[in-house]
Amino acid sequence: MGRHFGADPRCFSSGFSTARSVPLVPATAACDTAFMLVLVSDGDGAVDTFATTGIRCHQVSPVFATNDLGFAVGAQMIVLEFAPGSQPLLEAQAFHIAPTLYVWSDGSSGTVGPLLIRGRTACPSCLEPPARREEPGNQALLAWAYASALVEVEAVVTASVSTLVGKALRWNQARGRIGMRAVARRRGCKTPGCSDSPAVGGSLASA
C-alpha cells in the first residue's frame, strides 16, 4: 500500500484557506503550534501531506485506534482515511473526542468530508454509507482529497473556519464532476451530541 503525498518526512506543520466558510470558534492567531491532528490510516505516506505546514501530526492505524479508545485524547482534529460506516465503533469514538474529517477514495471518486463536530453536526451513525465497490482506491483521487483536506485544516488552524462542516466534497471522475453534499441528522437519532448540520455560512460558536 505504499504511497507518497509529500516530500517532508517530518510530522509537524499546517496552515489553511476557505470560501463560504463556517466559523468553528472565535478566530485565533495565525498558526497555532499547539494544534495536534491525529491521522487514522494504514498508509505510509499520507502523514507527510500535513508535514508541509505548521501543526503536529500523529498517525495511528485503524486497528490500533480501535483497540485504544484514548488514541486521540488531546487532539484538536481527527482525520479518518476510510469511507463512512467502514469502522462504526472507531468513528463513534472519534466523534466524541474531537472534530472528525473523512478522507477517502474508491476506483472512480475521491471524497473529503464531512467534518463532523459533536453538538454541531450529525453523528457518524447518521451518515449514509457509500455503495460498496470492489475496485481499489484511486491514488490520484486520494491525493486530491488529501490536498483538499490540507486546505481545510489550514483554515481551521489559522482562522477557526471550515467549508466542510457537515458537508462532503466529492470528485466523481467517472461522471466528470465535483459536487458538495450536506449530511443530515437521522430522524430519531439518540446519539449524544448528534445535531442538525448548520446552514452554509452559519455560526458554530457555542452559545
Side-chain angles (χ1 to χ4, degrees), residues 41-57:
S41 169
D42 280 323
D44 57 8
V47 73
D48 292 342
T49 300
F50 301 102
T52 58
T53 57
I55 59 173
R56 294 179 297 154
C57 180

Side-chain angles (χ1 to χ4, degrees), residues 66-81:
T66 299
N67 292 330
D68 182 357
L69 295 182
F71 75 95
V73 170
Q76 280 68 51
M77 182 177 288
I78 300 169
V79 173
L80 304 178
E81 193 194 304

Side-chain angles (χ1 to χ4, degrees), residues 7-21:
D8 191 334
R10 297 171 303 166
C11 187
F12 319 122
S13 245
S14 203
F16 300 38
S17 72
T18 95
R20 292 175 64 83
S21 55

Side-chain angles (χ1 to χ4, degrees), residues 16 19 23 38 43 46 66 69 88 94 113 116-117 125 145:
F16 300 38
V38 172
T66 299
L69 295 182
L116 302 184
I117 304 175
S125 67

Side-chain angles (χ1 to χ4, degrees), residues 13-36:
S13 245
S14 203
F16 300 38
S17 72
T18 95
R20 292 175 64 83
S21 55
V22 176
L24 301 182
V25 295
T28 58
C31 191
D32 182 357
T33 55
F35 188 98
M36 183 175 77

Side-chain angles (χ1 to χ4, degrees), residues 106 108-111 133 144 168-172 177-180:
D106 56 27
S108 61
S109 65
T111 303
R133 301 175 183 274
W144 169 83
L169 184 66
R170 184 186 187 200
W171 180 2
N172 188 319
R177 66 187 185 191
I178 296 177
M180 183 174 283

